[in-house]
Amino acid sequence: MPEKLLSIEQKRPQGDWRDAKVEFRKGTICYSAAPKNITYLGLPNPRQWQPFDADWKLPPNWKQTVLEGMKERLQKYRSFRLFMEICVRCGACADKCHFYVGSGDPKNMPVLRAELMRSVYRRYFTLTGRLLGALVGARELTEDVIKEWFYYFYQCTGCRRCSVFCPYGIDTAEITMMGRELLDLIGCNINWVMEPAANCLRTGNHLGVQPHAFQDSIQFAADEVEDITGLPIEVPINRKGAEILFVMPSADYFATPHYYTLLGYLMLFHEIGLDYTLSAYASEGGNFGLFSSHELTKRLNAKIYEEAKRLRVKWILGGECGHMWRVFHQYMDTMNGPADFLEPPVSPITGTRFENARSTRAVHICEFTADLIHHGKLRLDRGRNDRWNVTYHDSCNPSRAMGLLEEPRYVLKSVCRNFHEMPANTIREQTFCCGSGAGLGTDENLEMRLRGGFPRANAVKYVKEKHGVNLLACICAIDKATLPTLMEYWVPGVEVAGVHELLGNALVMTGEKERTADLRGEPLVREEATRE
Ligand code: SF4
Ligand code: SF4
C-alpha cells in the first residue's frame, strides 16, 4: 500500500553511526550471485550464501584482501583518493539522494554512504586515523562493516545526483563503484548483476540469446513493421562493409515497452535508406560490468569495437540505453580504444559531423534523429501521438554522464503535440533516478525500488494532476523495464515509452499504407480541435 511506504521517518540514528549492524529484511536487498555465474566470469570466491545468513562464509584472508584491494585502488584512481580526503561535511548532498528521500535512512545520505568507506580509509591509510581511531572518525574493518557495505552500496544506483550539488564535485557513485569492486574480491556480489554479465560474456547479451534467436527476434520485428506500414523492410545482421554498426540494449528486442522503440528505429532506418548493420554478437549495448567493476566493464565492452572492426564499418550508432551510454561516453575509448580504425562520424543523410563523437566514434540515436529533423529530412505527423500527453524523464546516465538534454526533447516536441515538463528541480541535470538502476531492478528488493523511485514518481504525479500527463517518455532500457511498476504503484494511469516509439508513430514513410493503429496496435486517435 502506498500509504505504508509514505510513512517515512526522518530522524537521527539511534546510537553511534559507526555501529555497523544492519537488518537484512526481504524486499530491501538483492540476493547473492549464484556460484556458477561467478565461476563463469572467473571471479574469486564463488559459494552458496545469502545476505540473511549469519555466516557469509567469507574467505579466511578476507580482511587482508579488502585492504590490499583498497590500497591498490587508492594508488590507481586519483578520484578515489581525492574523494576519501576532501569532504567537508557541509551536508549539501544530504537530502539529494532518492533513497534517502524515500527511506529516511540516514546512511542513505550520500555523505554518510561515503563515510562508511572513509572511516575504514582513515583507520588504515591515514596517520591520524591509526593514532586517534574513533576520535577522528576511523573504525576497524569488521565482518559487520562488510555487511553494511553490501547493504548500502547495493542501495545506491550510482545516479550521481548528489554530485551535482556537492561544492567539491565529490562523486559518491564512484565510491559506490569502489565499494562494489572491493566486495567482488571476497565474492560478495548480487545475482541480478552477475547473471546478465555472465550471459553477456557467453553470447553477447544479457539474456543469453544466441545468434539464430537474435535473428528470429529481429525478423519478427521487421514483419511487424510491414503489418503496420505495408512496407517490406530488410534488417541486415553481420553485414560486412556497412557504413554504420547499430548497437542497442537487448531489452529492445525481448521486452516491452522497449520493443516499440525497436520498431521505431527500424522504420527510421528504412525510411532514410541507412546503410547499416546489426551484429549478432554486439547484440547488447548494456553493460552490467559497470555495476561490478572497471575490469568487468572493460571485458564486456570489448565486443563493441571488435565487432565494428570485424564488420569493417565506419562508425557506431547507439540506441536508447542509459548505462550503455555511460560506458560508451566515459570509458569505451580509453578502456578499449583508441578506435582509430573507425572514422569520425558523419551523418550520411545531412552531412553533419558529430564532433562530440570524434573520440568514441559512437553517436547517440537521439543526436542522429534530432539532426535529421533539424535538416527537414523526415516527414512527421504529430497528430498520430495525440492519445498521449507526454512528459520526459531524463535518464540519469544520458543526462548527467553525457549531457544529452536537448536532443530527446527536440525529437519529442517534433513528434507529439502535447508535452509538459516536470518541475525544474526534478529534470535535466537534477533528474531523479528511477530507483532501480545499477543492477537493482529485480523484484527481490521491490520495497527499496519503490521507495527510491518515489521522488521521480511524485514529480510525474504533479504533471499528471496539472496537465493530464499519461505517458512518461525516456531513453533508458532499465527505465523502460522498471518505471512501469513504479508508475503502477505511485501514479496509476501513466504508461512508459521510448522516444523512438513516438518517432515511429509520427514518421510518414514513403509508400506506406494508411495507418490505423499505433505501434502498440492501439487505434490512432486525433484531437480534432488541434488537427494540423
Ligand atoms: S549516486 Fe545517486 S543513489 Fe548514489 S548516493 Fe548519490 S544520489 Fe544516492
Ligand atoms: S556536498 Fe560534498 S562536501 Fe558536502 S557533505 Fe556532501 S559530499 Fe561532503
Side-chain angles (χ1 to χ4, degrees), residues 15 27 113 127 137 150 234 280 301 313 319 340 348 384 403 442 502 522:
R113 195 189 308 283
L127 184 62
F150 180 87
E234 274 185 41
N301 174 257
V313 300
D340 44 14
R384 289 179 181 173
T442 170
L502 302 181
E522 297 292 331

Side-chain angles (χ1 to χ4, degrees), residues 47-85:
R47 65 190 186 281
Q48 294 285 359
W49 68 284
Q50 283 301 345
F52 316 105
D53 298 343
D55 180 4
W56 281 21
K57 301 176 191 157
L58 296 177
N61 59 345
W62 68 266
K63 190 168 176 176
Q64 185 190 355
T65 304
V66 170
L67 290 175
E68 281 174 5
M70 203 164 168
K71 183 176 176 194
E72 185 191 329
R73 283 157 184 77
L74 286 165
Q75 287 164 350
K76 196 167 166 190
Y77 302 113
R78 244 184 329 173
S79 54
F80 182 38
R81 211 165 57 234
L82 192 68
F83 296 160
M84 287 296 98
E85 286 286 350

Side-chain angles (χ1 to χ4, degrees), residues 14 108 113 118 130 134-135 159 169 188 190 215 251 257 268-269 314 320-321 383 424 426 429 438 504 522-523:
Q14 302 284 312
N108 269 326
R113 195 189 308 283
R118 265 191 212 108
R130 275 197 292 262
L135 282 176
C159 75
C188 297
I190 66 170
Q215 186 180 23
L268 174 69
F269 299 160
K314 290 185 181 167
E320 294 184 9
C321 185
T426 70
E429 294 92 342
E522 297 292 331

Side-chain angles (χ1 to χ4, degrees), residues 86-94 111 118 162 165-170 172:
I86 62 171
C87 174
V88 292
R89 295 170 201 58
C90 67
C93 63
V111 55
R118 265 191 212 108
C162 48
F165 298 90
C166 174
Y168 290 87
I170 293 174
T172 308

